[in-house]
Structures are given as structure tokens and as C-alpha cells.
Amino acid sequence: MRHGRAKGEPRFPDGPKADPAGSHFERRIRSFQPRRSRVTAGQAEALQRLWSRWGLDIDGHHVDLAELFGNDRPVVLEIGFGMGEATAQMAAADPGTNILAVDVHTPGQGNLLNLADHNGLTNVRVANGDAIILLREMLTADALDGLRVYFPDPWPKKRHHKRRLIQPEFLDLAATRLRPGAIVHCATDWEPYAEQMLEVLTAHPLFENTRADGGFAPRPGFRPLTRFEGQGLDKGHVVNDLLFRRVPHGDR
């Protein structure tokens, strides 16, 4: 017989918090919508068993990345990893790079923890909450060696464009946490959003396009072709990658 949780009882007592940065609540437009969809038994078990070791609640308190990963290898921040399959593949292919993967989708968090555990991936940490708070309040200057934003919500309606993540204000913040030479890698199958990303990144004084022609880049070999992306390509969607480099002040 199944018993429901008592009112106020956490969904996963040893797992991610439902609202880790509640004390930092802000009335600002967010680029994401928390999703609390069905969690499988395997995902729930991974959240309970592995969160204390490989999970991070974004609560506004400073985090030491070397302490979090147990080493001082380069760290790439991935914002929005879905179910985590591509993240796990990239971590396996590049064990010398640590990946801090942020999302608010509980099943995806559990799935990525499961994949990391089953494949012995010690270079993955899963962060739960608002990436803006992580960047602004929890990381130090030049802490990151890369930023990945793959297939973010395109917010296709014009009145919702202000919710898109890749905006000048976001790049201002990201630039303070990316060391010179770090790569910002975005990918989207929504062409109007791709054009906006290209325009905004090109206009920012602290980023330069790695493409000499100033356009989109071919999908690099290190970014796996996901099932979602394959379905889009089968439907005739065009996927665009953007690879921009963080430049030092005064170099552009």
C-alpha cells in the first residue's frame, strides 16, 4: 500500500531541495520553468544515494569548485542538460575536464546521477536551481573554462523573448566567471533564436566568434547528437552551433 508524503515533507529527504535559494527570491524574469514530472524508481534511488556526494543545491553560498570535484581540473558549466545522456557522453570522452551540469528537472537530475554512477564518471556534478544565482553569487571570477547551453527553451512567442537565456545581461555576468580563452558553446534548432544568439554574442565586447566568417559553426565532434536533436533533424529542423571565445579586456 502506498503512503503519501505528509504536508511539508521533502520529496527526497537526502536529495535536491525543492527551493534551494528561497532566501534569494527575486522578482525577475526567469528563463526556465521548474518541472516536477514523474521520477522513476531508479532515478529516485540515485537522487537519494548520490546527491550528498555529487549534487549541489544552488542556495547562494560560495562554492569551491576544486573542493566540489576533489581536484583542480578545468570546469565547464552546462546549463540545461535534459536527461543527461549527452552530458554523460561528453564526460566519458573527456575525463580531464569537470562538468558542472545545472538543471531544475528532477527526473533528469536523477538520470544523470545514475549514468555517472553506472559509467564511473567522477568528473560530473549535478546542480539544482537557478544558474544565474550560481554565476552571480557562488562562483569566483575566472572560475570556469567553458560554458555550454544546448537547446535552451526558445520561448518562440514574441512577448516571451525577454525570457530567453542568451541576452546581453546574461553575457555580462557570464564573462565575469569565464577565464580568457574559455569557450561559450550554444546550440539550438530554433532558427530565429539562433540568429538572436549570433547577434548578441557578436555584439558583446568580451566574446569573439571562433569562425573567421563570423557565422555559425559545424557541430563539433565533442557534442553528441542527441535523440531529441535527431528527431528534429528528421523533421527538417536546422540545428545551429555557435562557438565564441572569451577575450581579455582590451583585446577586441
Side-chain angles (χ1 to χ4, degrees):
M1 180 177 178
R2 295 185 62 183
H3 297 278
R5 285 179 289 122
K7 185 177 181 180
E9 181 182 345
R11 191 178 186 191
F12 304 102
D14 298 316
K17 293 182 174 63
D19 185 17
S23 61
H24 290 259
F25 177 79
E26 306 161 78
R27 291 187 176 276
R28 64 175 171 82
I29 296 169
R30 283 172 167 75
S31 63
F32 63 89
Q33 290 180 316
R35 293 172 292 161
R36 298 287 181 258
S37 52
R38 182 178 177 274
V39 177
T40 68
Q43 292 161 0
E45 191 274 337
L47 288 166
Q48 286 285 98
R49 180 169 55 88
L50 298 170
W51 190 259
S52 62
R53 182 165 28 132
W54 289 343
L56 172 70
D57 279 308
I58 299 175
D59 57 9
H61 295 97
H62 170 71
V63 59
D64 184 318
L65 294 178
E67 182 179 337
L68 179 67
F69 284 94
N71 58 64
D72 59 359
R73 295 170 186 156
V75 178
V76 171
L77 175 65
E78 181 178 0
I79 299 178
F81 57 79
M83 294 306 290
E85 293 97 338
T87 306
Q89 290 181 54
M90 289 186 289
D94 185 10
T97 296
N98 295 323
I99 301 177
L100 178 56
V102 180
D103 210 307
V104 293
H105 187 219
T106 311
Q109 294 168 350
N111 199 59
L112 179 52
L113 287 171
N114 234 343
L115 290 169
D117 186 38
H118 289 168
N119 293 287
L121 305 176
T122 60
N123 59 330
V124 175
R125 297 293 181 270
V126 180
N128 167 53
D130 189 340
I132 299 297
I133 292 175
L134 174 69
L135 284 165
R136 190 185 64 209
E137 301 184 28
M138 298 177 66
L139 299 179
T140 57
D142 298 344
L144 299 172
D145 289 80
L147 172 64
R148 296 168 180 166
V149 183
Y150 299 154
F151 303 99
D153 194 325
W155 295 102
K157 295 180 180 179
K158 187 173 181 179
R159 70 176 184 271
H160 290 156
H161 286 184
K162 58 190 175 183
R163 296 180 181 272
R164 289 175 173 175
L165 180 63
I166 306 302
Q167 305 276 6
E169 297 79 9
F170 172 75
L171 294 178
D172 289 343
L173 174 59
T176 67
R177 302 299 181 248
L178 291 163
R179 65 164 181 80
I183 296 296
V184 173
H185 183 192
C186 302
T188 180
D189 65 336
W190 192 259
E191 290 187 82
Y193 194 9
E195 294 290 347
Q196 179 192 326
M197 288 179 177
L198 183 60
E199 179 182 348
V200 170
L201 279 159
T202 299
H204 200 285
L206 291 179
F207 296 98
E208 65 178 5
N209 200 331
T210 62
R211 292 280 296 177
D213 63 6
F216 299 111
R219 179 177 66 86
F222 65 80
R223 182 175 74 75
L225 182 69
T226 66
R227 180 175 53 184
F228 167 82
E229 183 178 358
Q231 291 172 346
L233 291 171
D234 289 342
K235 296 175 182 176
H237 295 184
V238 175
V239 175
N240 286 298
D241 283 74
L242 302 94
L243 290 163
F244 276 71
R245 181 181 296 106
R246 166 72 161 87
V247 299
H249 290 279
D251 278 17
R252 186 176 181 183

